[in-house]
Amino acid sequence: DYVDFEQLDEEEKKNLLAVGDMVAFTNDYGVVFGPKEVLAFRKPWNGGRCVYIDSDAYWFPDRPEQLTILSKGGTEWQTKTKS
């Protein structure tokens, strides 16, 4: 699903993933890796995978629900909720 950015309030905008954000990745077994940088996005495929992060498998996108925002594009490290 696509989001109309203009219709979101400021708090909702803060919780959206963007290129340059630092995130923690949680795999399907609950193991957390990071911090990792968000590199790019693609159209969702293969179970909703659409976010590329700076990892050993940078070529394989992750699902947004596997990512927790730690900081927005170079801001101070802080914990944010999952999108």
Side-chain angles (χ1 to χ4, degrees), residues 51-62:
V51 184
Y52 292 95
I53 62 173
D54 184 22
S55 68
D56 292 337
Y58 63 89
W59 45 266
F60 190 73
D62 298 306

Side-chain angles (χ1 to χ4, degrees), residues 15-31:
N15 290 321
L16 289 178
L17 288 169
V19 171
D21 289 352
M22 299 302 290
V23 297
F25 168 78
T26 305
N27 71 15
D28 293 335
Y29 300 100
V31 179

Side-chain angles (χ1 to χ4, degrees), residues 29-74:
Y29 300 100
V31 179
V32 179
F33 299 90
K36 303 290 183 183
E37 183 178 359
V38 174
L39 301 177
F41 297 91
R42 65 160 289 145
K43 210 171 167 179
W45 72 282
N46 193 17
R49 295 178 180 280
C50 61
V51 184
Y52 292 95
I53 62 173
D54 184 22
S55 68
D56 292 337
Y58 63 89
W59 45 266
F60 190 73
D62 298 306
R63 297 183 305 271
E65 60 270 13
Q66 294 176 296
L67 305 174
T68 301
I69 299 171
L70 300 175
S71 69
K72 297 292 291 173

